[in-house]
PDB file of all heavy atoms in Angstrom:
ATOM      1  N   ARG A 147     -26.547 -32.934  12.344  1.00 81.00           N
ATOM      2  CA  ARG A 147     -25.314 -32.174  11.701  1.00 81.00           C
ATOM      3  C   ARG A 147     -25.273 -32.593  10.185  1.00 81.00           C
ATOM      4  O   ARG A 147     -24.892 -31.755   9.350  1.00 81.00           O
ATOM      5  CB  ARG A 147     -24.097 -32.509  12.342  1.00 81.00           C
ATOM      6  CG  ARG A 147     -23.943 -31.836  13.772  1.00 81.00           C
ATOM      7  CD  ARG A 147     -22.472 -31.879  14.188  1.00 81.00           C
ATOM      8  NE  ARG A 147     -22.092 -33.164  14.558  1.00 81.00           N
ATOM      9  CZ  ARG A 147     -22.042 -33.602  15.844  1.00 81.00           C
ATOM     10  NH1 ARG A 147     -22.462 -32.921  16.775  1.00 81.00           N
ATOM     11  NH2 ARG A 147     -21.597 -34.861  16.084  1.00 81.00           N
ATOM     12  N   ALA A 148     -25.562 -33.919   9.912  1.00 83.00           N
ATOM     13  CA  ALA A 148     -25.396 -34.356   8.533  1.00 83.00           C
ATOM     14  C   ALA A 148     -26.437 -33.966   7.518  1.00 83.00           C
ATOM     15  O   ALA A 148     -26.136 -33.689   6.364  1.00 83.00           O
ATOM     16  CB  ALA A 148     -25.273 -35.859   8.591  1.00 83.00           C
ATOM     17  N   ILE A 149     -27.637 -33.948   7.951  1.00 79.00           N
ATOM     18  CA  ILE A 149     -28.765 -33.773   7.063  1.00 79.00           C
ATOM     19  C   ILE A 149     -28.701 -32.460   6.171  1.00 79.00           C
ATOM     20  O   ILE A 149     -28.853 -32.447   4.951  1.00 79.00           O
ATOM     21  CB  ILE A 149     -30.092 -34.021   7.631  1.00 79.00           C
ATOM     22  CG1 ILE A 149     -30.318 -35.547   7.897  1.00 79.00           C
ATOM     23  CG2 ILE A 149     -31.255 -33.524   6.744  1.00 79.00           C
ATOM     24  CD1 ILE A 149     -31.585 -35.929   8.618  1.00 79.00           C
ATOM     25  N   PRO A 150     -28.452 -31.261   6.888  1.00 74.00           N
ATOM     26  CA  PRO A 150     -28.485 -30.040   6.176  1.00 74.00           C
ATOM     27  C   PRO A 150     -27.418 -30.026   5.057  1.00 74.00           C
ATOM     28  O   PRO A 150     -27.837 -29.757   3.901  1.00 74.00           O
ATOM     29  CB  PRO A 150     -28.192 -29.007   7.255  1.00 74.00           C
ATOM     30  CG  PRO A 150     -28.716 -29.618   8.484  1.00 74.00           C
ATOM     31  CD  PRO A 150     -28.330 -31.069   8.387  1.00 74.00           C
ATOM     32  N   PRO A 151     -26.169 -30.311   5.273  1.00 74.00           N
ATOM     33  CA  PRO A 151     -25.156 -30.282   4.177  1.00 74.00           C
ATOM     34  C   PRO A 151     -25.566 -31.384   3.067  1.00 74.00           C
ATOM     35  O   PRO A 151     -25.275 -31.114   1.940  1.00 74.00           O
ATOM     36  CB  PRO A 151     -23.810 -30.533   4.854  1.00 74.00           C
ATOM     37  CG  PRO A 151     -24.167 -31.177   6.087  1.00 74.00           C
ATOM     38  CD  PRO A 151     -25.464 -30.586   6.568  1.00 74.00           C
ATOM     39  N   LEU A 152     -26.005 -32.501   3.479  1.00 77.00           N
ATOM     40  CA  LEU A 152     -26.412 -33.460   2.513  1.00 77.00           C
ATOM     41  C   LEU A 152     -27.492 -32.933   1.543  1.00 77.00           C
ATOM     42  O   LEU A 152     -27.441 -33.219   0.405  1.00 77.00           O
ATOM     43  CB  LEU A 152     -26.917 -34.760   3.190  1.00 77.00           C
ATOM     44  CG  LEU A 152     -25.807 -35.612   3.804  1.00 77.00           C
ATOM     45  CD1 LEU A 152     -26.435 -36.825   4.590  1.00 77.00           C
ATOM     46  CD2 LEU A 152     -24.888 -36.280   2.772  1.00 77.00           C
ATOM     47  N   LEU A 153     -28.501 -32.178   2.154  1.00 76.00           N
ATOM     48  CA  LEU A 153     -29.567 -31.704   1.328  1.00 76.00           C
ATOM     49  C   LEU A 153     -28.988 -30.606   0.408  1.00 76.00           C
ATOM     50  O   LEU A 153     -29.353 -30.480  -0.796  1.00 76.00           O
ATOM     51  CB  LEU A 153     -30.666 -31.131   2.243  1.00 76.00           C
ATOM     52  CG  LEU A 153     -31.413 -32.131   3.063  1.00 76.00           C
ATOM     53  CD1 LEU A 153     -32.499 -31.536   3.766  1.00 76.00           C
ATOM     54  CD2 LEU A 153     -31.896 -33.300   2.256  1.00 76.00           C
ATOM     55  N   GLU A 154     -28.141 -29.786   0.901  1.00 72.00           N
ATOM     56  CA  GLU A 154     -27.454 -28.770   0.137  1.00 72.00           C
ATOM     57  C   GLU A 154     -26.683 -29.382  -1.009  1.00 72.00           C
ATOM     58  O   GLU A 154     -26.722 -28.904  -2.180  1.00 72.00           O
ATOM     59  CB  GLU A 154     -26.595 -27.908   0.978  1.00 72.00           C
ATOM     60  CG  GLU A 154     -27.342 -27.047   2.050  1.00 72.00           C
ATOM     61  CD  GLU A 154     -28.123 -25.963   1.441  1.00 72.00           C
ATOM     62  OE1 GLU A 154     -27.945 -25.600   0.263  1.00 72.00           O
ATOM     63  OE2 GLU A 154     -28.812 -25.292   2.181  1.00 72.00           O
ATOM     64  N   ALA A 155     -26.044 -30.476  -0.678  1.00 69.00           N
ATOM     65  CA  ALA A 155     -25.112 -31.070  -1.640  1.00 69.00           C
ATOM     66  C   ALA A 155     -25.871 -31.780  -2.841  1.00 69.00           C
ATOM     67  O   ALA A 155     -25.323 -31.814  -3.936  1.00 69.00           O
ATOM     68  CB  ALA A 155     -24.330 -32.211  -1.018  1.00 69.00           C
ATOM     69  N   VAL A 156     -27.148 -32.137  -2.608  1.00 69.00           N
ATOM     70  CA  VAL A 156     -27.852 -32.641  -3.737  1.00 69.00           C
ATOM     71  C   VAL A 156     -28.796 -31.585  -4.415  1.00 69.00           C
ATOM     72  O   VAL A 156     -29.617 -31.987  -5.153  1.00 69.00           O
ATOM     73  CB  VAL A 156     -28.784 -33.878  -3.289  1.00 69.00           C
ATOM     74  CG1 VAL A 156     -27.923 -35.019  -2.834  1.00 69.00           C
ATOM     75  CG2 VAL A 156     -29.845 -33.429  -2.215  1.00 69.00           C
ATOM     76  N   ASP A 157     -28.427 -30.348  -4.113  1.00 63.00           N
ATOM     77  CA  ASP A 157     -28.998 -29.175  -4.808  1.00 63.00           C
ATOM     78  C   ASP A 157     -30.503 -28.959  -4.482  1.00 63.00           C
ATOM     79  O   ASP A 157     -31.161 -28.446  -5.380  1.00 63.00           O
ATOM     80  CB  ASP A 157     -28.751 -29.310  -6.293  1.00 63.00           C
ATOM     81  CG  ASP A 157     -27.303 -29.210  -6.671  1.00 63.00           C
ATOM     82  OD1 ASP A 157     -26.603 -28.434  -6.029  1.00 63.00           O
ATOM     83  OD2 ASP A 157     -26.929 -29.926  -7.653  1.00 63.00           O
ATOM     84  N   TRP A 158     -30.929 -29.378  -3.239  1.00 59.00           N
ATOM     85  CA  TRP A 158     -32.274 -29.057  -2.978  1.00 59.00           C
ATOM     86  C   TRP A 158     -32.400 -27.537  -2.539  1.00 59.00           C
ATOM     87  O   TRP A 158     -33.447 -26.981  -2.588  1.00 59.00           O
ATOM     88  CB  TRP A 158     -32.776 -29.985  -1.861  1.00 59.00           C
ATOM     89  CG  TRP A 158     -32.990 -31.362  -2.317  1.00 59.00           C
ATOM     90  CD1 TRP A 158     -32.712 -31.907  -3.511  1.00 59.00           C
ATOM     91  CD2 TRP A 158     -33.545 -32.476  -1.562  1.00 59.00           C
ATOM     92  NE1 TRP A 158     -33.068 -33.197  -3.525  1.00 59.00           N
ATOM     93  CE2 TRP A 158     -33.513 -33.590  -2.351  1.00 59.00           C
ATOM     94  CE3 TRP A 158     -34.015 -32.613  -0.266  1.00 59.00           C
ATOM     95  CZ2 TRP A 158     -34.058 -34.846  -1.947  1.00 59.00           C
ATOM     96  CZ3 TRP A 158     -34.440 -33.783   0.128  1.00 59.00           C
ATOM     97  CH2 TRP A 158     -34.541 -34.923  -0.707  1.00 59.00           C
ATOM     98  N   GLY A 159     -31.243 -27.090  -1.995  1.00 52.00           N
ATOM     99  CA  GLY A 159     -31.156 -25.701  -1.610  1.00 52.00           C
ATOM    100  C   GLY A 159     -31.982 -25.227  -0.469  1.00 52.00           C
ATOM    101  O   GLY A 159     -31.978 -24.033  -0.147  1.00 52.00           O
ATOM    102  N   THR A 160     -32.439 -26.136   0.326  1.00 50.00           N
ATOM    103  CA  THR A 160     -33.275 -25.699   1.550  1.00 50.00           C
ATOM    104  C   THR A 160     -32.804 -26.341   2.802  1.00 50.00           C
ATOM    105  O   THR A 160     -33.362 -26.121   3.770  1.00 50.00           O
ATOM    106  CB  THR A 160     -34.842 -26.093   1.339  1.00 50.00           C
ATOM    107  OG1 THR A 160     -34.846 -27.522   1.226  1.00 50.00           O
ATOM    108  CG2 THR A 160     -35.380 -25.495   0.099  1.00 50.00           C
ATOM    109  N   GLY A 161     -31.791 -27.265   2.717  1.00 46.00           N
ATOM    110  CA  GLY A 161     -31.351 -27.940   3.931  1.00 46.00           C
ATOM    111  C   GLY A 161     -31.009 -27.114   5.080  1.00 46.00           C
ATOM    112  O   GLY A 161     -31.536 -27.255   6.145  1.00 46.00           O
ATOM    113  N   SER A 162     -30.155 -26.179   4.864  1.00 46.00           N
ATOM    114  CA  SER A 162     -29.699 -25.273   5.978  1.00 46.00           C
ATOM    115  C   SER A 162     -30.782 -24.415   6.508  1.00 46.00           C
ATOM    116  O   SER A 162     -30.773 -24.098   7.651  1.00 46.00           O
ATOM    117  CB  SER A 162     -28.413 -24.653   5.573  1.00 46.00           C
ATOM    118  OG  SER A 162     -28.723 -23.694   4.469  1.00 46.00           O
ATOM    119  N   LYS A 163     -31.686 -24.041   5.619  1.00 51.00           N
ATOM    120  CA  LYS A 163     -32.760 -23.091   5.988  1.00 51.00           C
ATOM    121  C   LYS A 163     -33.692 -23.864   6.890  1.00 51.00           C
ATOM    122  O   LYS A 163     -34.149 -23.376   7.864  1.00 51.00           O
ATOM    123  CB  LYS A 163     -33.445 -22.524   4.798  1.00 51.00           C
ATOM    124  CG  LYS A 163     -32.576 -21.673   3.787  1.00 51.00           C
ATOM    125  CD  LYS A 163     -33.354 -21.281   2.586  1.00 51.00           C
ATOM    126  CE  LYS A 163     -32.459 -20.645   1.568  1.00 51.00           C
ATOM    127  NZ  LYS A 163     -33.153 -20.205   0.322  1.00 51.00           N
ATOM    128  N   VAL A 164     -34.183 -25.052   6.353  1.00 49.00           N
ATOM    129  CA  VAL A 164     -35.106 -25.886   7.153  1.00 49.00           C
ATOM    130  C   VAL A 164     -34.623 -26.258   8.487  1.00 49.00           C
ATOM    131  O   VAL A 164     -35.327 -26.180   9.472  1.00 49.00           O
ATOM    132  CB  VAL A 164     -35.431 -27.116   6.359  1.00 49.00           C
ATOM    133  CG1 VAL A 164     -36.319 -28.055   7.124  1.00 49.00           C
ATOM    134  CG2 VAL A 164     -36.100 -26.808   5.027  1.00 49.00           C
ATOM    135  N   LEU A 165     -33.385 -26.568   8.628  1.00 49.00           N
ATOM    136  CA  LEU A 165     -32.884 -27.066   9.963  1.00 49.00           C
ATOM    137  C   LEU A 165     -31.975 -26.028  10.655  1.00 49.00           C
ATOM    138  O   LEU A 165     -31.352 -26.408  11.550  1.00 49.00           O
ATOM    139  CB  LEU A 165     -32.084 -28.359   9.712  1.00 49.00           C
ATOM    140  CG  LEU A 165     -33.006 -29.496   9.046  1.00 49.00           C
ATOM    141  CD1 LEU A 165     -32.150 -30.637   8.675  1.00 49.00           C
ATOM    142  CD2 LEU A 165     -34.111 -29.922   9.933  1.00 49.00           C
ATOM    143  N   THR A 166     -32.013 -24.874  10.133  1.00 47.00           N
ATOM    144  CA  THR A 166     -31.297 -23.676  10.743  1.00 47.00           C
ATOM    145  C   THR A 166     -29.893 -24.076  11.046  1.00 47.00           C
ATOM    146  O   THR A 166     -29.426 -23.802  12.153  1.00 47.00           O
ATOM    147  CB  THR A 166     -32.068 -23.215  11.932  1.00 47.00           C
ATOM    148  OG1 THR A 166     -32.102 -24.238  12.903  1.00 47.00           O
ATOM    149  CG2 THR A 166     -33.458 -22.741  11.620  1.00 47.00           C
ATOM    150  N   VAL A 167     -29.212 -24.601  10.118  1.00 49.00           N
ATOM    151  CA  VAL A 167     -27.773 -24.925  10.283  1.00 49.00           C
ATOM    152  C   VAL A 167     -26.989 -24.142   9.155  1.00 49.00           C
ATOM    153  O   VAL A 167     -27.416 -24.230   8.035  1.00 49.00           O
ATOM    154  CB  VAL A 167     -27.486 -26.439  10.199  1.00 49.00           C
ATOM    155  CG1 VAL A 167     -26.021 -26.650  10.276  1.00 49.00           C
ATOM    156  CG2 VAL A 167     -28.300 -27.049  11.300  1.00 49.00           C
ATOM    157  N   SER A 168     -25.927 -23.506   9.522  1.00 50.00           N
ATOM    158  CA  SER A 168     -25.017 -22.896   8.521  1.00 50.00           C
ATOM    159  C   SER A 168     -24.043 -23.951   7.854  1.00 50.00           C
ATOM    160  O   SER A 168     -23.417 -24.596   8.592  1.00 50.00           O
ATOM    161  CB  SER A 168     -24.207 -21.740   9.166  1.00 50.00           C
ATOM    162  OG  SER A 168     -23.327 -21.115   8.251  1.00 50.00           O
ATOM    163  N   VAL A 169     -24.149 -23.921   6.509  1.00 50.00           N
ATOM    164  CA  VAL A 169     -23.326 -24.866   5.916  1.00 50.00           C
ATOM    165  C   VAL A 169     -22.321 -24.186   4.984  1.00 50.00           C
ATOM    166  O   VAL A 169     -22.729 -23.573   4.023  1.00 50.00           O
ATOM    167  CB  VAL A 169     -24.129 -25.826   5.002  1.00 50.00           C
ATOM    168  CG1 VAL A 169     -23.322 -26.878   4.353  1.00 50.00           C
ATOM    169  CG2 VAL A 169     -25.222 -26.527   5.798  1.00 50.00           C
ATOM    170  N   PRO A 170     -21.035 -24.207   5.300  1.00 52.00           N
ATOM    171  CA  PRO A 170     -19.961 -23.511   4.403  1.00 52.00           C
ATOM    172  C   PRO A 170     -19.969 -24.090   2.932  1.00 52.00           C
ATOM    173  O   PRO A 170     -20.255 -25.256   2.792  1.00 52.00           O
ATOM    174  CB  PRO A 170     -18.633 -23.794   5.080  1.00 52.00           C
ATOM    175  CG  PRO A 170     -19.025 -24.207   6.485  1.00 52.00           C
ATOM    176  CD  PRO A 170     -20.346 -24.928   6.422  1.00 52.00           C
ATOM    177  N   GLY A 171     -19.766 -23.181   2.077  1.00 52.00           N
ATOM    178  CA  GLY A 171     -19.907 -23.577   0.667  1.00 52.00           C
ATOM    179  C   GLY A 171     -18.802 -24.705   0.349  1.00 52.00           C
ATOM    180  O   GLY A 171     -19.036 -25.617  -0.406  1.00 52.00           O
TER     181      GLY A 171
END
Side-chain angles (χ1 to χ4, degrees):
R147 287 194 289 263
I149 287 178
L152 284 172
L153 298 186
E154 296 286 354
V156 296
D157 295 324
W158 288 5
T160 60
S162 60
K163 299 176 186 177
V164 171
L165 301 173
T166 62
V167 175
S168 177
V169 184

